Amino acid sequence: MNAIYKFFGMILSFFSDITGGYYLFGLFLFALLIKLILLPFGIKQQKTSIKQAKMRPKEMAIRKKYKGRTDKVTQQKMQEEITDLYTREGYNPMAGCLPLLIQMPVIIILYNVIINPLKHICGWTAEQITTIANHLGFLENNVKAFASRDISLIEYLTPDRYPSINEALTAAGLETVDFAEIPTFTMGAFDLSAQPAFWNLLLLVPVFTFVFQFAASKIQRKFTFQPGISQ
């Protein structure tokens, strides 16, 4: 399982690197990649939902025909007719679950990677993380929290401890950090953080998100069967 976590961590680290070391943007690109991979399954799920909605009146007609008859033979015959309907229409009731079955493991793996970024994304060993935690006196007060997730160590690195962080990094055999350095957003030779237009464009992200989400909901509603509305 650690190999899978490491693989996902390498992808997140790569996306963070190509976006100038910005973990947030790296996470955004990773989410976009997962969406693109799952897009065919999402389309299949939508088609299945549309087919299910169109079949619903036919299924309900069969159930209505046997309404009030609860004996085993009648119930079995009703299920056979419904199964035959599914077969004729080429509908698989489990097909709509496939995207969810694929997404859940990805979400669980990603969650474990995110709460353990030092190990899975930065590539630090357990010994290095423990050395840093010991040097900063972290383990003395937070043994239980640290044992479950190394993000607790990041939360513990408050500004008052900055002077001793580099000592801890050196003790762990890692590169030190220049806390006086001003963060920039660079891609290759371009410093995008110096471009006002870049930051203005970022402000449009939530607007585009709303527009696309609204459009997707309208399209889905258009192609979904609505009971009581003539088609």
Side-chain angles (χ1 to χ4, degrees), residues 118-184:
L118 300 180
K119 178 180 180 181
H120 300 305
I121 298 177
C122 298
W124 294 1
T125 64
E127 291 75 17
Q128 289 174 322
I129 298 173
T130 302
T131 298
I132 294 173
N134 275 321
H135 192 90
L136 297 175
F138 176 79
L139 293 181
E140 297 176 3
N141 304 316
N142 300 271
V143 177
K144 184 176 181 181
F146 181 71
S148 62
R149 56 190 185 131
D150 63 43
I151 197 173
S152 300
L153 178 58
I154 298 176
E155 297 170 350
Y156 191 63
L157 300 181
T158 52
D160 60 297
R161 291 184 172 269
Y162 286 170
S164 59
I165 292 177
N166 279 332
E167 296 178 11
L169 291 174
T170 301
L174 298 167
E175 293 184 8
T176 57
V177 178
D178 182 7
F179 291 103
E181 184 179 359
I182 300 176
T184 59

Side-chain angles (χ1 to χ4, degrees), residues 35-194:
K35 280 291 187 182
L36 290 175
I37 293 176
L38 295 178
L39 181 61
F41 298 101
I43 294 175
K44 182 176 178 61
Q45 185 179 29
Q46 289 297 321
K47 289 181 177 179
T48 301
S49 298
I50 294 172
K51 183 175 292 186
Q52 181 187 31
K54 290 182 177 180
M55 284 178 49
R56 186 66 176 170
K58 299 178 182 179
E59 180 181 340
M60 293 306 297
I62 296 175
R63 294 185 181 277
K64 185 178 180 180
K65 184 170 66 172
Y66 294 99
K67 184 178 180 180
R69 300 168 62 182
T70 59
D71 60 282
K72 185 176 181 180
V73 176
T74 302
Q75 289 295 310
Q76 183 176 355
K77 187 175 181 180
M78 181 183 71
Q79 289 300 325
E80 289 176 355
E81 288 193 26
I82 292 176
T83 301
D84 289 341
L85 173 64
Y86 288 167
T87 303
R88 291 196 307 271
E89 298 289 342
Y91 170 68
N92 182 0
M94 299 302 296
C97 300
L98 182 60
L100 294 178
L101 293 176
I102 296 176
Q103 290 181 59
M104 284 306 298
V106 173
I107 293 173
I108 294 173
I109 292 171
L110 183 58
Y111 172 76
N112 281 277
V113 170
I114 290 175
I115 66 174
N116 294 284
L118 300 180
K119 178 180 180 181
H120 300 305
I121 298 177
C122 298
W124 294 1
T125 64
E127 291 75 17
Q128 289 174 322
I129 298 173
T130 302
T131 298
I132 294 173
N134 275 321
H135 192 90
L136 297 175
F138 176 79
L139 293 181
E140 297 176 3
N141 304 316
N142 300 271
V143 177
K144 184 176 181 181
F146 181 71
S148 62
R149 56 190 185 131
D150 63 43
I151 197 173
S152 300
L153 178 58
I154 298 176
E155 297 170 350
Y156 191 63
L157 300 181
T158 52
D160 60 297
R161 291 184 172 269
Y162 286 170
S164 59
I165 292 177
N166 279 332
E167 296 178 11
L169 291 174
T170 301
L174 298 167
E175 293 184 8
T176 57
V177 178
D178 182 7
F179 291 103
E181 184 179 359
I182 300 176
T184 59
F185 185 78
T186 58
M187 296 185 70
F190 301 97
D191 181 5
L192 299 179
S193 60

